[in-house]
Amino acid sequence: MTVCEFRAGLEGVPVTQSSISFVDGQHGILEYRGIPIYELAEKSTFLETAYLLIWKELPTKEELEAFENEIQYHRRLKYHIRDMMKCFPESGHPMDALQACAAALGLFYSRRALDDPAYIRAAVVRLLAKIPTMVAAFQLMRKGNDPVQPRDDLSYAANFLYMLNEKEPDPLAAKIFEVCLVLHAEHTINASTFSAMVTASTLTDPYAVIASAVGTLAGPLHGGASEEVIEMLDAIGSVENVRPYLDDRLQRKERIMGFGHRVYKVKDPRAIILQGLAEQLFEKFGHDKYYDIATELERAVEEKLGGKGIYPNVDFYSGLVYLKLGIPTDLFTPVFAISRVAGWLAHWKEQLNENRIFRPTQIYTGLHSAPYVAIGDR
Ligand code: CMC
């Protein structure tokens, strides 16, 4: 059977049936397993949300404790992985380092038993546990420092900030980072999730699945926008320059980073939550020029482009929050990956349940029966 209409970027083409998450872009709704994102952001933790996404239901108290304990136990990295990282160039992008390390896990855990629930659980635990440690270790090692060992008395979010900044985070900062992880954990069929599903459909190992998703997330059209938002706010430089900068950029038909979305035609619900978090952070740790420039830019863009359905997306406020949490700009996308690994794993598991290898077709536009021209005659 061939479906003949070609849609660039598969826009609007369903590639799976899924019960993991739901987006209504007209009304600004995002749900994980049917639960509204604002409920989860307020009441859940990242690991509880990850459990919900992967195993379909919120865990009981005992199930959650067991899951958290397993994650805690597996947070350390094998010294071979750390040795491998030592050979990476300091100037290399942290997403490349993360992709290489995620793939390398497959070397250490090579047994593949995709129909064994214990194997699935072990892979989920290892990936959720080790990816934050990898990101933090690369950050310290590229500065010439030894990685910091994870701390078992800290939550998942607090421990990451501790391993990254070498000091225990302020409780508000840790809480806000936890919410950021919940907000970024899953978002239907985006490019990296689709990449994970295609790789999963070949029945390869889960480390290859996650490594391929990390590689896809790294691209500037996908995970990289929050980094570019900060560059843009730097280029604007002051509140007074917001409107002249915007007019100039729009006149040159350039995009305003952190605005617009293929699906959302209203303000992204995650951006609404992140803006509230940014306000709390700035109130506690002091205002700086970024927040004032950002709010003025949002006002100006809404006046000019709101009619076209262009509003802030998740990346507009996440960069502001990350910066205030002491996360360097080139770690914004790896931090996105720390969270999104939950969604990728949920889709991996769902794909395995109803697997058929992805093998789409093409509309051939080349020649037929073309002559082979001898090399000397070309
Ligand atoms: N600034 C100015 N104009 C815009 C923007 C923007 N950020 N986004 C869309 N438009 C205009 C666009 O010029 C077009 O106008 P017209 O109809 O007059 O030609 C109209 O809106 C529709 O744009 P489109 O390119 O058809 O929209 P799309 O759905 O293909 O693109 C997008 C979605 C996210 C790629 C785009 O909005 C964009 O480039 N935004 C800036 C980059 C960004 O913030 N990306 C993060 C996306 S959210 C995280 C993720 O999914 O990974």
Side-chain angles (χ1 to χ4, degrees), residues 59-337:
T60 62
K61 193 166 176 290
E62 293 72 33
E63 285 167 338
L64 182 59
E65 269 170 23
F67 186 50
E68 287 171 344
N69 288 340
E70 280 173 71
I71 298 272
Q72 229 170 53
Y73 183 78
H74 287 279
R75 286 201 288 217
R76 282 162 186 77
L77 298 180
K78 287 197 180 287
Y79 73 85
H80 281 105
I81 299 264
R82 292 207 305 271
D83 285 354
M84 187 179 102
M85 274 187 181
K86 279 187 198 149
C87 305
F88 293 170
E90 288 130 36
S91 57
H93 197 283
M95 278 302 269
D96 293 328
L98 180 60
Q99 189 186 25
C101 291
L105 287 180
L107 293 162
F108 297 99
Y109 308 105
S110 55
R111 173 181 164 262
R112 190 185 312 135
L114 299 176
D115 52 358
D116 176 357
Y119 173 87
I120 302 277
R121 185 170 178 114
V124 164
V125 165
R126 276 191 204 113
L127 282 156
L128 282 168
K130 293 185 192 304
I131 282 186
T133 317
M134 288 170 176
V135 173
F138 181 70
Q139 167 64 6
L140 293 198
M141 285 162 81
R142 71 178 170 169
K143 290 196 292 185
N145 298 342
D146 272 336
V148 169
Q149 289 300 314
R151 266 195 27 202
D152 289 348
D153 59 323
L154 295 178
S155 71
Y156 188 87
N159 175 60
F160 173 71
L161 293 177
Y162 163 73
M163 290 190 299
L164 190 71
N165 296 324
E166 300 180 86
K167 63 172 196 284
E168 200 174 322
D170 174 273
L172 178 69
K175 169 71 192 136
I176 284 181
F177 185 58
E178 185 95 46
V179 180
C180 291
L181 294 178
V182 170
L183 294 178
H184 288 84
E186 160 64 9
H187 206 243
T188 70
I189 311 300
N190 49 80
S192 59
T193 300
F194 187 44
S195 168
M197 288 161 55
V198 172
T199 309
S201 81
T202 69
L203 302 184
T204 186
D205 73 76
Y207 310 103
V209 169
I210 297 307
S212 83
V214 170
T216 308
L217 183 70
L221 291 186
H222 189 6
S226 57
E227 212 175 311
E228 293 195 30
V229 168
I230 299 300
E231 281 168 24
M232 184 183 69
L233 297 179
D234 270 328
I236 294 174
S238 69
V239 173
E240 296 70 47
N241 195 34
V242 165
R243 283 166 197 268
Y245 176 93
L246 180 63
D247 291 341
D248 180 55
R249 196 147 173 155
L250 291 179
Q251 220 161 31
R252 285 188 281 121
K253 303 231 172 296
E254 284 176 8
R255 297 291 165 111
I256 313 302
M257 300 317 288
F259 287 85
H261 198 277
R262 173 66 62 80
V263 183
Y264 292 116
K265 298 305 164 205
V266 294
K267 189 166 172 178
D268 184 328
R270 299 166 300 172
I272 296 172
I273 300 169
L274 280 163
Q275 183 176 9
L277 301 180
E279 274 164 15
Q280 287 181 45
L281 270 178
F282 281 84
E283 204 163 291
K284 176 146 191 191
F285 300 109
H287 268 262
D288 59 39
K289 63 173 186 172
Y290 289 113
Y291 187 74
D292 297 334
I293 296 172
T295 45
E296 177 63 8
L297 182 62
E298 181 178 347
R299 261 194 299 275
V301 172
E302 195 174 330
E303 279 167 32
K304 291 198 185 293
L305 300 174
K308 277 189 184 178
I310 295 166
Y311 291 93
N313 58 49
V314 68
D315 288 319
F316 188 59
Y317 284 105
S318 64
L320 284 188
V321 171
Y322 292 159
L323 213 57
K324 208 68 186 163
L325 292 175
I327 298 171
T329 46
D330 67 352
L331 288 192
F332 289 179
T333 319
V335 164
F336 189 160

